[in-house]
Amino acid sequence: SRYLAWLGVNCRVFNVGEYRRKLVGAQLDHSFFDPSNEVATDQRLHCAVLALQDMFKWFEAMHNGVAIYDATNSTRSRRKMIVDECQRHNVEVMFCESWCEDNDLVDMNIREVKRTSPDYKGVQDIKRVMDDFRRRIDHYSEVYEPVGGDGTRPLAKGQYPLPPVKPTLEEYDERQVSYLRKINVGSKMVINRITSYLESRIVYFLMNIHIATRSVFFSRHGESMYNLDQRLGGDPCLSPNGRKYAEALPSLVSKLLGNEPLTIWTSTLKRTSETAAGLPYKKMQWKALDELDAGLCDGLTYEDVEEQYPEEYAMRDENKFEFRYRGGESYRDVVLRLEPVIMELERQQNIMIISHQAVLRCIYAYFLDIGPEELPYLKIPLHTVMKLTWTAYGCDVQMYKIDIDA
């Protein structure tokens, strides 16, 4: 959802687990997911139907976008229910399934993700969490039918309390449905009937993400000669204080990383490569990381822009995200050119990006799920390293300021 929203697509998540926690409670052990537990099965189905109904209400209000119906959906009968109801509401369906048979990966996922899940809030015993969730997986496995199967496995029992529509379950051929199966965290991908632009973007994203623990470090270049005069753009060198920051940066990065590997990404502009010069790591330049192009205003101060281009200056204040400098770029343009960078960040492990304020605002907004209204006003201070670390349910941010004036 974060990726699609960052690209400007209306998106909302409907997590059936949240409905369950609200209606039934969070502190439920594995027996609640036992397919032979008829009371719990009815309760889980009720939650699934409520989430589906809310999803259709959202579509009616928005008229377009992508809804993520986040649920196990592990049987053909449940998926047929979803397809039938979506067809009735003129909503296209794409199933995304993550399947893993590598026990080490499953255990790692439980340790890193499920122990911080709301279902286990306050539970300190990690062994208890792992044992309970393994048994929950066993219950799912009892009725699991792979998406895209031909129905040769025994069908899950039970009927859903929605108006039945043809075709019948026996006639429901899932090979005609759009789907993606990600196997063993991406060691193999199976895609079927991906026909639309949005479906292809979702596949592209899911092919690139991984679950390894990692951090991304951000830093603006050291203070530049243009910063001293508050000029836009250009390709100036570092100021004396900017060079001091570049000299102090390797010590801070070494302290934060220890002996872990790191790759440095910079823009193609001098002030970023000068800032990175003393860092003893592999370096790569990205044209996509260059500062927002100020067009005809490049090299001007904001006072110059107000005097020479008063209409543009006023338009910028009205909608800073969409405003495009004459012959230059808007923040939206920068977001679009940064998509390859974002995808590569999702694939990599420890990366440090040394770039520019507008560019880092866009990348920071992606990882922190910040909307276009706030994005152009995010504070990305000079002479500061920002560390973003992924967690199961968000992203932790730490700031490390080097005490050099800017």
Side-chain angles (χ1 to χ4, degrees):
S1 66
R2 186 183 71 229
Y3 168 68
L4 292 171
W6 188 72
L7 291 179
V9 178
N10 291 324
C11 188
R12 183 171 168 183
V13 178
F14 295 85
N15 182 283
V16 174
E18 291 294 332
Y19 284 76
R20 167 178 55 79
R21 284 185 280 271
K22 181 178 179 181
L23 297 174
V24 186
Q27 304 300 315
L28 301 167
D29 68 15
H30 66 89
S31 62
F32 183 80
F33 302 89
D34 187 337
S36 65
N37 184 336
E38 295 184 2
V39 173
T41 298
D42 289 341
Q43 289 175 320
R44 288 188 287 120
L45 182 57
H46 177 62
C47 294
V49 171
L50 287 178
L52 201 60
Q53 291 170 344
D54 284 349
M55 184 185 78
F56 294 133
K57 291 176 184 176
W58 179 79
F59 272 120
E60 289 173 6
M62 299 302 297
H63 304 296
N64 66 76
V66 174
I68 299 176
Y69 183 71
D70 185 2
T72 309
N73 301 326
S74 55
T75 65
R76 287 179 69 237
S77 61
R78 176 62 61 84
R79 295 192 294 271
K80 180 181 182 298
M81 176 194 81
I82 295 168
V83 169
D84 289 349
E85 289 304 299
C86 285
Q87 289 177 344
R88 205 160 65 85
H89 288 83
N90 296 314
V91 172
E92 296 180 18
V93 178
M94 173 185 172
F95 289 114
C96 299
E97 175 179 285
S98 177
W99 182 82
C100 188
E101 62 179 351
D102 186 321
N103 289 328
D104 290 337
L105 285 175
V106 171
D107 286 347
M108 182 180 73
N109 184 256
I110 297 173
R111 280 193 300 270
E112 297 299 324
V113 178
K114 297 307 176 184
R115 67 185 179 87
T116 56
S117 162
D119 286 347
Y120 298 103
K121 186 177 181 179
V123 179
Q124 301 297 319
D125 186 351
I126 184 62
K127 184 178 183 302
R128 176 183 161 193
V129 171
M130 295 190 69
D131 288 346
D132 183 79
F133 201 82
R134 284 194 193 104
R135 296 183 73 178
R136 187 191 297 193
I137 292 173
D138 289 341
H139 293 316
Y140 287 141
S141 299
E142 292 177 39
V143 294
Y144 166 66
E145 297 164 284
V147 66
D150 59 6
T152 54
R153 293 189 61 172
L155 300 177
K157 298 179 180 179
Q159 293 294 319
Y160 51 88
L162 290 171
V165 292
K166 291 184 178 181
T168 65
L169 187 57
E170 288 71 20
E171 294 170 331
Y172 169 57
D173 185 355
E174 209 158 56
R175 292 169 294 184
Q176 305 305 312
V177 176
S178 297
Y179 67 81
L180 174 146
R181 295 187 76 219
K182 187 166 186 171
I183 299 169
N184 289 333
V185 199
S187 63
K188 181 178 180 181
M189 305 286 289
V190 178
I191 61 174
N192 187 71
R193 292 185 175 271
I194 302 303
T195 58
S196 73
Y197 170 77
L198 277 178
E199 288 176 342
S200 70
R201 303 322 295 161
I202 292 168
V203 170
Y204 176 51
F205 175 75
L206 293 177
M207 288 178 70
N208 283 283
I209 59 173
H210 63 79
I211 63 172
T213 302
R214 67 199 190 280
S215 295
V216 173
F217 299 86
F218 298 152
S219 174
R220 287 175 68 182
H221 53 79
E223 180 188 68
S224 74
M225 299 304 293
Y226 268 29
N227 289 137
L228 293 176
D229 299 328
Q230 296 187 329
R231 294 186 180 278
L232 296 168
D235 192 14
C237 296
L238 295 181
S239 71
N241 280 346
R243 290 195 292 272
K244 289 179 183 178
Y245 176 69
E247 292 167 2
L249 190 57
S251 175
L252 174 60
V253 173
S254 176
K255 187 183 299 182
L256 295 176
L257 268 175
N259 295 322
E260 291 185 43
L262 180 69
T263 301
I264 309 294
W265 293 355
T266 71
S267 74
T268 63
L269 301 176
K270 286 186 293 190
R271 54 196 184 272
T272 63
S273 58
E274 288 177 359
T275 303
L279 292 165
Y281 305 100
K282 178 183 176 182
K283 300 181 181 72
M284 292 178 58
Q285 286 190 338
W286 287 74
K287 180 68 176 173
L289 290 174
D290 283 1
E291 179 60 301
L292 185 152
D293 185 351
L296 293 179
C297 298
D298 191 69
L300 301 181
T301 66
Y302 287 112
E303 289 78 10
D304 293 336
V305 175
E306 184 177 16
E307 180 181 335
Q308 298 178 32
Y309 305 101
E311 290 184 6
E312 293 200 358
Y313 187 83
M315 289 171 58
R316 180 177 179 273
D317 283 346
E318 288 176 8
N319 188 339
K320 195 174 177 182
F321 183 77
E322 298 288 355
F323 170 76
R324 179 181 290 115
Y325 286 100
R326 194 181 306 181
E329 292 181 300
S330 67
Y331 272 95
R332 181 178 291 281
D333 296 329
V334 175
V335 163
L336 294 176
R337 72 162 149 96
L338 282 172
E339 187 183 10
V341 176
I342 292 295
M343 286 300 97
E344 195 62 23
L345 278 175
E346 292 286 5
R347 292 167 57 88
Q348 299 292 332
Q349 302 221 1
N350 292 336
I351 297 290
M352 182 172 189
I353 298 177
I354 299 176
S355 187
H356 310 269
Q357 179 167 247
V359 170
L360 293 180
R361 280 172 171 164
C362 294
I363 299 174
Y364 184 86
Y366 168 76
F367 287 114
L368 274 294
D369 200 11
I370 295 170
E373 301 82 8
E374 298 177 58
L375 183 155
Y377 303 97
L378 292 172
K379 294 187 182 301
I380 309 290
L382 284 167
H383 300 173
T384 302
V385 173
M386 307 169 71
K387 179 183 179 183
L388 274 62
T389 304
W390 278 253
T391 64
Y393 293 91
C395 195
D396 288 339
V397 181
Q398 295 170 289
M399 311 275 280
Y400 301 91
K401 171 75 174 172
I402 293 181
D403 191 17
I404 297 172
D405 289 340

